[in-house]
Amino acid sequence: MKALLLICHGSRTQAGTEKAREFAEQCMRHIDYPIKEVCFLELSEPDIAKGVESCVQQGATSICAIPVLLLTAAHAKEDIPGELEIQQSRFPHIEFSYGKPFGVHESISSLLWERITEAADSFKEKSLILLVGRGSSDPDVKRDLKSIADQLENNYSIPQIETCFLTAAQPSFEEVLRLAGWGYEQVIVVPYLLFPGILLSGMKKVITEQARETGQELILCEALGYHPVLQEVLLTRIDETQRQQTVV
């Protein structure tokens, strides 16, 4: 019997955990698997081991594991596959396949544009859009976020767009925002985060302080959240994994 295991990152806050679970469960309503479970890489329960155990206890003979992560970095490349290898050794009779994060996908630009236009009625003559990723030491994260920014710029009539990061990568959000205080009337900050949480709260604080100092129009967009576009991308990743059967 086939099982689908959606692996979310996890959150330090109960609200963040519930948002992730709700997102995964809404997506799973559109997926025809006899067994469907949600688990978390870290910080939240159930962890991957418990998620796999639940699938096995329900009679799974194969498990399709999909990381519910925006970009491909160490979590997707090393941490989750490493844990799945441990589970494979625990349950050698189970066939495991492992999919990709959302990654770079053409349709995501439409969601970003929606978040931008929800927050900003119009652009000023000197406007800057900052696409802000969580960040990672993995160079693929910088490359992929830049590709997503390029797709957004190519698909819509937008002002200048720059990418930056909250942690573990350069340029940093605070540095780029500070530099944007020179010469831009309007800065639209687009958090490339699935859900609101501690990171988004920190961004709000930085933006409020700079707006007070510079008098600029600084606009913070909403996190991506549950959206039909992301649901469609996730369904695509699941379908790809079913067809390719990339065994861990």
Side-chain angles (χ1 to χ4, degrees):
M1 198 181 320
K2 292 183 177 180
L4 174 67
L5 183 64
L6 296 185
I7 305 173
C8 303
H9 181 275
S11 172
R12 291 183 175 83
T13 68
Q14 184 63 30
T17 298
E18 290 308 313
K19 284 285 187 182
R21 191 190 307 279
E22 180 183 345
F23 174 88
E25 289 176 349
Q26 288 191 67
C27 290
M28 288 194 300
R29 292 173 190 159
H30 303 270
I31 299 167
D32 185 22
Y33 268 75
I35 301 169
K36 295 177 279 192
E37 291 291 334
V38 181
C39 66
F40 299 89
L41 171 62
E42 58 184 10
L43 303 173
S44 303
E45 291 289 338
D47 60 14
I48 294 175
K50 290 186 176 67
V52 170
E53 287 170 8
S54 180
C55 292
V56 173
Q57 289 168 1
Q58 293 175 71
T61 54
S62 66
I63 297 176
C64 175
I66 305 292
V68 185
L69 302 172
L70 285 174
L71 296 171
T72 303
H75 283 329
K77 291 179 179 178
E78 300 170 12
D79 299 336
I80 295 176
E83 182 58 35
L84 291 176
E85 285 179 2
I86 294 171
Q87 300 312 310
Q88 176 75 85
S89 66
R90 291 180 65 204
F91 304 103
H93 60 291
I94 303 294
E95 178 184 358
F96 284 80
S97 56
Y98 179 56
K100 299 177 182 178
F102 293 100
V104 179
H105 193 284
E106 184 71 28
S107 63
I108 290 176
S109 64
S110 66
L111 171 52
L112 294 173
W113 180 246
E114 184 175 321
R115 292 289 176 260
I116 291 168
T117 53
E118 285 171 349
D121 294 330
S122 61
F123 299 130
K124 295 188 180 299
E125 184 177 350
K126 294 182 179 180
S127 293
L128 173 67
I129 291 176
L130 290 184
L131 183 61
V132 187
R134 182 187 185 94
S136 168
S137 58
D138 191 315
D140 287 351
V141 167
K142 294 185 71 171
R143 180 202 65 199
D144 289 352
L145 192 66
K146 180 63 166 59
S147 295
I148 292 165
D150 289 344
Q151 288 179 348
L152 177 62
E153 188 170 16
N154 292 336
N155 291 341
Y156 299 93
S157 298
I158 64 171
Q160 182 177 351
I161 183 167
E162 300 286 349
T163 58
C164 56
F165 301 91
L166 296 171
T167 62
Q170 295 296 323
S172 72
F173 165 61
E174 292 191 17
E175 175 190 4
V176 174
L177 186 66
R178 186 172 62 252
L179 292 174
W182 303 88
Y184 289 101
E185 301 172 77
Q186 178 192 61
V187 181
I188 302 169
V189 179
V190 187
Y192 200 66
L193 303 171
L194 268 177
F195 310 111
I198 293 172
L199 291 176
L200 194 61
S201 297
M203 293 174 70
K204 288 179 181 177
K205 182 179 179 182
V206 171
I207 287 170
T208 300
E209 289 175 355
Q210 178 153 320
R212 188 183 303 119
E213 292 173 3
T214 66
Q216 284 176 297
E217 182 180 12
L218 300 179
I219 299 171
L220 178 62
C221 301
E222 296 291 334
L224 301 182
Y226 175 80
H227 193 280
V229 165
L230 290 182
Q231 174 184 292
E232 200 57 41
V233 175
L234 183 62
L235 295 178
T236 298
R237 297 296 181 237
I238 294 168
D239 183 62
E240 290 170 351
T241 309
Q242 282 184 304
R243 288 187 282 107
Q244 295 173 4
Q245 287 294 295
T246 305
V247 180
V248 174

